[in-house]
Amino acid sequence: HRARVFGSLRDRPNTDQPRLPMKNSLRELRAEKGWSQARLAELARVSRQTIQALESGKYDPSLPLAFTLAKLFGRRIEDIFEP
């Protein structure tokens, strides 16, 4: 396993710029199902506050949570979340 070598400053990840949150369609998908934030949180085994933060773009999901949400909605992760 080799460490990645950056050829120039341009190739290096820019850690100075703030990261933009992912856009997502959770609110719309949840509404289609008729689920409250609390119900979705219960099904996904997270807090309602986590669902609220996801919907408002204040929090990006972990990969396991993204898979769980995709399964609950019967969608692919990339159909729910976009950078």
Side-chain angles (χ1 to χ4, degrees), residues 25-52:
S25 56
L26 287 175
R27 185 173 283 130
E28 295 81 10
L29 292 170
R30 183 173 58 76
E32 287 174 13
K33 295 274 192 181
W35 294 341
S36 65
Q37 286 182 342
R39 179 64 179 145
L40 178 55
E42 179 183 325
L43 293 169
R45 296 183 176 180
V46 296
S47 69
R48 186 200 57 78
Q49 289 83 357
T50 297
I51 298 300
Q52 191 279 327

Side-chain angles (χ1 to χ4, degrees), residues 14 21 52 56-57 69 72 75 78 80:
N14 186 348
Q52 191 279 327
S56 66
L69 293 168
L72 286 170
R75 305 282 176 102
E78 57 268 30
I80 299 173

